[in-house]
Amino acid sequence: MTKRVVLGALFGALTMLATGCGDECVDQYDCRDKGVAPAGQQWTCNADNKCELQNIPVEPEPDAGTGGDAGTDAGTDAGTDAGTDAGTEVDAGTDAGTDAGTDAGMNVGKGGACSATPDCMAGLRCEANTCQSLLIAVTASGATLSDGGTGTAALVTPFDVPSLTSLSDAGVASAYPRFGPGGTQVAFVQGDVTDAEGELSVRPLPVTDAAATVLTTGGSARIRYMEWEPGNLIAWVRGSTGISTIAATGGTVTSVTNSGTFPDWAANGTDFAYSAANTGIYVSTGGAAPAVLQGSAPTGEQPHFNRVTSQLLFLANPEGETVTFGTEVTPVLKLYSLPVTGGGTPEVLAAKSSDAVTGGTVDSYIANPNWAPDGSWVAYVRAYYQNVGGAAVLCGSTGATLCGNRAGNIVFLQRVKASGAADGAPVQLAENATLPSFSPDGRLVAFIKSGELNVQPIDPATGQASGTAIVHTKGTYTVLTNEGDDHRPRWQPR
């Protein structure tokens, strides 16, 4: 096993935020010299880097069972993002101390003292007895490489304070960051990330000058679709098919399947699911050989465990319907849930749609599904396109004249019953966005829009947006979406 020393050098705009000339603050802690805020208010740092008083937000009452602590997975890219978002960089609206208006638990704000993570408000975790922001990890383009070219960078940032920090050495490409259990480590691929020479590496958090440990290289195939938490094993797909694992502490690489892709871990960190072309969803339980999940369709793909409920999420195209974008044939996928034990008829959570318009139809399919940690909601992307005589153009793109003002990609949230069935109508969350990802406490949804990371607070009772989205404005880097689930934002576990 070799070690690569990470020097902590930051690419271009990756330097941590510092208060600039004339700025009062960069976060609410710089406003502490303003004194004690009046009752019901708090000092915050606004978008103009000035301290101002704001009313303390009241946390919405959660539904029974809301607030699990687990990671989630998602599917493939729904298409090209459309539109732009001017956005603003804002703090998460968390309190610097204790919110007297909430019940015991989840009431200590950012910077406040804590003994355990459940003390901290949404989006925070307890580190060194202080409530601190959860990190989000993404892959972005725009890194300057040692040969003078440009490449990708695996980056982490606090969800509420845009501050992208590279996980690899200056001049070294990296991609596919994945957090480990407990959120104290992060894995990523570095070096030649697009071929078999890519190095699977692990480094501790917070990001410091400590060394990153290289566990293995791709061997004979590129490392893709990597997943880690909640257990000690890291899984990945060898190129386009076949799954391997290695312990996060290093050791021997194990080939666990000879085919398949999109691995996903169950809550115990041992059981796993994956999909294989034309044969559907497979599940391995208790170390047994993987077996087809009874009741799942042969076209099933991209399975996702819910780590609280018994439901498995997946996409499928049982009718075999396709649509052609230029020369690319794309399956018209629907979203289903099914008990992980199998059997019965899968519940349809989101179906295709088709609206007749003059000259053709405006249709849609489903992509990028993702569980809320407690299984109460599912996030997904509905990709809208115009269809004229079998030729399709994504709405929002040039030539999509039949779509009107309809966006190409729209993120929806769908409430889900304990049975796995849809509960009520879907809730629209964001237009021209893709790759939604729930925070571990289910109170925030991250997604990518116009190459920028967005984080939207939600009301977990209604699924509606709650307040302004936190926009990590694009600078040196453009957050990637072109490899679908490989580029979905990953949240640090609480």
Side-chain angles (χ1 to χ4, degrees), residues 57-134:
V58 178
E59 287 289 308
E61 290 295 326
D63 282 356
T66 298
D69 181 7
T72 47
D73 195 9
T76 55
D77 189 22
T80 304
D81 291 345
T84 57
D85 184 2
T88 55
E89 296 181 4
V90 298
D91 197 74
T94 51
D95 193 358
T98 300
D99 185 349
T102 59
D103 294 332
M106 289 190 71
N107 61 1
V108 180
K110 184 176 174 181
C114 57
S115 58
T117 290
D119 298 338
C120 301
M121 294 176 69
L124 308 178
R125 55 182 272 126
C126 190
E127 290 185 13
N129 296 318
T130 304
C131 290
Q132 300 181 25
S133 301
L134 290 173

Side-chain angles (χ1 to χ4, degrees), residues 172-426:
V172 177
S174 54
Y176 317 131
R178 307 289 189 261
F179 291 102
T184 60
Q185 292 179 293
V186 61
F188 57 99
V189 181
Q190 65 178 355
D192 296 323
V193 300
T194 61
D195 62 30
E197 297 303 312
E199 300 171 334
L200 172 54
S201 304
V202 175
R203 66 172 302 162
L205 292 169
V207 176
T208 65
D209 289 345
T213 301
V214 177
L215 302 182
T216 186
T217 63
S220 60
R222 172 186 177 190
I223 296 173
R224 301 193 64 197
Y225 301 110
M226 190 168 68
E227 296 297 341
W228 184 0
E229 62 91 24
N232 183 52
L233 291 175
I234 302 174
W236 70 91
V237 175
R238 301 183 301 272
S240 60
T241 186
I243 299 167
S244 294
T245 63
I246 191 171
T249 51
T252 303
V253 173
T254 301
S255 176
V256 294
T257 73
N258 292 321
S259 63
T261 188
F262 291 105
D264 190 51
W265 292 110
N268 60 13
T270 302
D271 298 348
F272 63 93
Y274 65 95
S275 56
N278 303 316
T279 52
I281 307 298
Y282 285 76
V283 176
S284 171
T285 304
V292 173
L293 180 63
Q294 184 182 2
S296 65
T299 57
E301 58 179 88
Q302 303 166 48
H304 312 299
F305 283 101
N306 186 271
R307 296 178 186 167
V308 174
T309 72
S310 64
Q311 299 298 321
L312 193 78
L313 198 67
F314 64 95
L315 296 169
N317 178 27
E319 295 85 6
E321 186 177 354
T322 62
V323 60
T324 302
F325 293 90
T327 59
E328 182 178 351
V329 178
T330 300
V332 179
L333 296 169
K334 301 177 183 178
L335 180 60
Y336 297 88
S337 67
L338 183 68
V340 72
T341 52
T345 301
E347 297 281 359
V348 179
L349 293 179
K352 67 177 184 179
S353 68
S354 184
D355 299 323
V357 296
T358 302
T361 59
V362 175
D363 301 337
S364 72
Y365 62 89
I366 308 302
N368 309 134
N370 181 18
W371 279 115
D374 66 352
S376 59
W377 291 92
V378 165
Y380 61 87
V381 173
R382 186 174 287 278
Y384 288 96
Y385 59 95
Q386 73 173 36
N387 195 338
V388 180
V393 178
L394 190 72
C395 292
S397 303
T398 302
T401 56
L402 305 186
C403 294
N405 294 325
R406 186 170 299 182
N409 294 342
I410 300 180
V411 173
F412 286 92
L413 304 185
Q414 173 63 59
R415 179 174 279 284
V416 182
K417 299 178 182 178
S419 65
D423 184 5

Side-chain angles (χ1 to χ4, degrees), residues 18-31:
T19 305
C21 250
D23 291 343
E24 277 192 324
C25 58
V26 293
D27 60 32
Q28 64 194 67
Y29 307 112
D30 295 328
C31 300

